Amino acid sequence: MTEPSKQRRKAGLIPAAALTLALLLAGCQPGPPQPPPSTPPGTSGPPETSSPTGTSSPPPGPSEPAGRSVHFTAQGDIGVSTGARKVLDTIAGLRPELNLALGDFSYKAGIEQEFCDMVTGKLGADFPYQVVTGNHESDGHDGDIANIVKCLPNRLPGLQGDYGTQWYVDYPEQNPLVRIIMVSPGIDFHDGKPLDYSENSERWRWTEEALDGAGPKGIPWTVVGMHTPCLGVGRYDCQAGREFTNMLMDKKVDLVLTGHDHTYQRTHQLGVGIPCPNLVPNTFSTGCIADPDAGMEQGAGTVFVTVGTGGVGLYEVNDDDPEARYFASWSGRNRDPALGTLDVTATAGRLSARFVPADGYTFTDAFTIEGK
């Protein structure tokens, strides 16, 4: 399929002899097990050791407050190559509860079952490998999302919507910490036309309602996943749509995940308001940057991450792109190239994410959003 170009926390005094005796006695008693040392928040690094299967042991992730947590991975643009298998090995080593697959799977019609067998062979037949379509399978030209959905079905209870195309789920099902919303703007379907996500359209209103519904249920975090990005320093322009992207920012979505561009790109926290009435693609406005640090606060804006690093060949990145100053970190074929996955952990009070490279790559990135 031809794709358009353009294309970030008194002891009392006792006699010395008694103290000495107490210490000697204590030394003869077995002590309690000692916990392993913790990792400072935000620490990340390249793969350290190799397991017997050749999978790299990933670096320890950011420290998390005690309590319930949700752990998931996300990436898109996968294929059935050695690179895809390396990324799946990385995901398996991380042991997430679920994975968000951001579209573009087999890259060839008729081999969807081969793709699914590869995934289940690495992650297990019942693992929640949750999909949303990419442009390569949306219209049947290089695969069919209907076939992918059939061999990689939904594994999460309570899912609402049309799985594979437009759906949301609260996770975990009881006392959820994250509402995950997956949508499909900006790509063609079987009729040769994109689904309508224009302002006030049915799909726009569905997305708004899904976002607005998280707060009343006391769900701390909202994560939106879709194949096409809007901002980028890679190959593509704003295929997701300017108005739709601004709506996500206006709704203060915490994290937006995309694929399509075969690169890793992470923005600063971006927000709309008085300093930035709306975000305009292909330009830059300082007022749209709500927080330029890797440690951010919830409610100030949205972090956009493109993770098109699931296995296929990488694209180049352009440091001179007009939108580059919106980005905190990027990697592509011509700069710190890496296949890998985004690794996300959410608690009631913090969302932490890091890019974990597949075996043989060293690029990393990490950021946190502190809850309200």
Side-chain angles (χ1 to χ4, degrees), residues 22-346:
L23 291 171
L24 287 171
L25 289 172
C28 296
Q29 303 299 319
Q34 296 301 306
S38 60
T39 302
T43 298
S44 62
E48 299 178 69
T49 58
S50 295
S51 71
T53 61
T55 302
S56 296
S57 300
S63 298
E64 292 295 340
R68 299 184 306 121
S69 66
V70 165
H71 178 204
F72 66 90
T73 48
Q75 69 300 126
D77 307 276
I78 301 149
V80 293
S81 68
T82 299
R85 290 175 170 85
K86 283 185 176 184
V87 174
L88 287 168
D89 283 337
T90 303
I91 296 168
L94 292 168
R95 299 182 178 275
E97 298 164 57
L98 64 137
N99 180 80
L100 302 180
L102 302 168
D104 283 6
F105 303 122
S106 66
Y107 281 86
K108 184 179 179 181
I111 65 167
E112 295 94 332
Q113 187 63 55
E114 179 184 342
F115 175 84
C116 296
D117 290 345
M118 178 186 71
V119 171
T120 58
K122 295 289 188 180
L123 302 179
D126 297 324
F127 177 78
Y129 188 86
Q130 302 293 118
V131 305
V132 71
T133 189
N135 60 291
H136 278 282
E137 55 275 338
S138 61
D139 64 358
H141 184 76
D142 294 325
D144 195 319
I145 187 59
N147 294 331
I148 296 293
V149 165
K150 186 181 297 183
C151 55
L152 289 171
N154 169 49
R155 301 289 183 185
L156 299 179
L159 184 141
Q160 303 291 316
D162 183 10
Y163 180 66
T165 304
Q166 177 178 280
W167 56 271
Y168 76 86
V169 68
D170 299 336
Y171 190 86
E173 186 179 19
Q174 301 298 320
N175 301 313
L177 291 170
V178 181
R179 174 164 285 192
I180 298 167
I181 303 168
M182 304 285 265
V183 291
S184 299
I187 54 179
D188 290 342
F189 282 77
H190 286 283
D191 59 1
K193 297 179 181 179
L195 301 182
D196 186 6
Y197 282 89
S198 63
E199 188 168 1
N200 292 322
S201 67
E202 182 180 352
R203 292 181 181 274
W204 172 291
R205 292 195 303 270
W206 183 95
T207 308
E208 281 192 313
E209 289 169 7
L211 290 168
D212 292 342
K217 293 187 67 174
I219 303 172
W221 304 101
T222 53
V223 174
V224 170
M226 54 193 183
H227 185 62
T228 59
C230 179
L231 298 174
V233 296
R235 180 173 291 192
Y236 299 109
D237 58 10
C238 184
Q239 288 186 246
R242 170 180 168 178
E243 293 80 7
F244 190 77
T245 301
N246 276 276
M247 183 268 285
L248 298 180
M249 295 171 64
D250 185 57
K251 295 292 183 179
K252 301 188 184 299
V253 174
D254 298 299
L255 180 62
V256 175
L257 303 172
T258 63
H260 196 43
D261 208 325
H262 302 178
T263 59
Y264 174 83
Q265 305 177 48
R266 192 257 300 177
T267 71
H268 299 294
Q269 192 177 39
L270 306 180
V272 292
I274 295 175
C276 174
N278 62 81
L279 186 143
V280 180
N282 298 317
T283 64
F284 173 77
S285 171
T286 304
C288 295
I289 299 181
D291 194 325
D293 301 322
M296 296 162 272
E297 294 185 3
Q298 186 179 31
T302 301
V303 178
F304 295 84
V305 187
T306 294
V307 201
T309 55
V312 297
L314 297 169
Y315 294 161
E316 292 188 355
V317 289
N318 176 18
D319 295 7
D320 296 326
D321 191 283
E323 297 168 356
R325 284 182 289 174
Y326 285 133
F327 286 82
S329 180
W330 59 81
S331 160
R333 185 172 64 194
N334 59 329
R335 178 173 174 178
D336 300 321
L339 297 175
T341 186
L342 193 69
D343 185 37
V344 184
T345 300

